[in-house]
Amino acid sequence: PIFADHQYTVVITGSIADPSSLYWEDPVREWSESDTVSEVFFAHLASQIGELDVYFAVPGTVPVLGQAVGTLAFGERLPARDFEEAQYELILTPRDDPATITFQSVPLNSVAQTRVTLAIFDPDPTLPGNLGVSLLGNSAGSRSEEHTSELQSQFRISYAVFWLKKK
């Protein structure tokens, strides 16, 4: 069933011969004018990659065992976390191995009153890197052009998000 005032994210991953789909439902977040945080989900959609520790911290932070935002296996999504408006780097490491960085983003500006999912995908053979990270379902109460273009330069942006409002 589909409920009013909920955000739905549907992801299809894998190959054409062996697709897999995931579905997430979250209540639409009502932002107040005084909110200074963004809401971030992290999802693991890379079937070829093992478990990963996720770090989302100010630029220059060195990953330390036990200080990850969380650990993800294929098909999992961490619960939403609020992050104050600031710059952050997304760093991914193999589980319990903070010295081996699998992915590190450029500094990203977190924009208040924004909800995003950073999703880890298998590598795209046409792009450099050993995995891909995409921004899914960017929804915002306010969003700057700088934020949008910066994210577009760092991540593949792929989403299909919709809301239903009660009448």
Side-chain angles (χ1 to χ4, degrees):
I2 295 180
F3 300 100
D5 300 321
H6 280 70
Q7 174 178 321
Y8 295 87
T9 305
V10 178
V11 178
I12 300 172
T13 188
S15 67
I16 295 203
D18 187 25
S20 120
S21 64
L22 297 163
Y23 159 89
W24 300 306
E25 172 188 343
D26 300 290
V28 171
R29 181 161 181 173
E30 298 295 329
W31 300 99
S32 73
E33 288 186 29
S34 62
D35 283 331
T36 61
V37 298
S38 62
E39 184 176 62
V40 182
F41 294 91
F42 301 91
H44 188 325
L45 305 172
S47 62
Q48 299 172 18
I49 307 292
E51 290 183 301
L52 295 168
D53 285 340
V54 177
Y55 297 86
F56 198 63
V58 297
T61 301
V62 175
V64 175
L65 188 62
Q67 293 183 2
V69 172
T71 300
L72 288 169
F74 173 67
E76 294 180 340
R77 183 178 77 152
L78 293 175
R81 294 270 308 261
D82 284 350
F83 291 92
E84 285 295 325
E85 194 167 34
Q87 278 197 333
Y88 295 92
E89 287 179 330
L90 172 64
I91 299 174
L92 304 172
T93 68
R95 181 184 182 124
D96 297 332
D97 184 7
T100 304
I101 295 176
T102 305
F103 177 88
Q104 183 170 0
S105 73
V106 298
L108 302 169
N109 290 322
S110 169
V111 176
Q113 302 176 20
T114 304
R115 172 187 268 183
V116 298
T117 298
L118 294 174
I120 305 152
F121 285 91
D122 287 317
D124 180 338
T126 64
L127 298 173
N130 53 357
L131 59 85
V133 175
S134 291
L135 176 72
L136 303 178
N138 184 6
S139 65
S142 63
R143 169 175 53 169
S144 73
E145 287 303 313
E146 173 189 341
H147 172 70
T148 303
S149 62
E150 180 179 348
L151 287 171
Q152 287 172 339
S153 70
Q154 179 66 27
F155 300 109
R156 292 176 280 170
I157 298 181
S158 315
Y159 56 89
V161 177
F162 57 92
W163 293 268
L164 300 174
K165 295 284 186 183
K166 292 180 184 173
K167 291 199 175 207

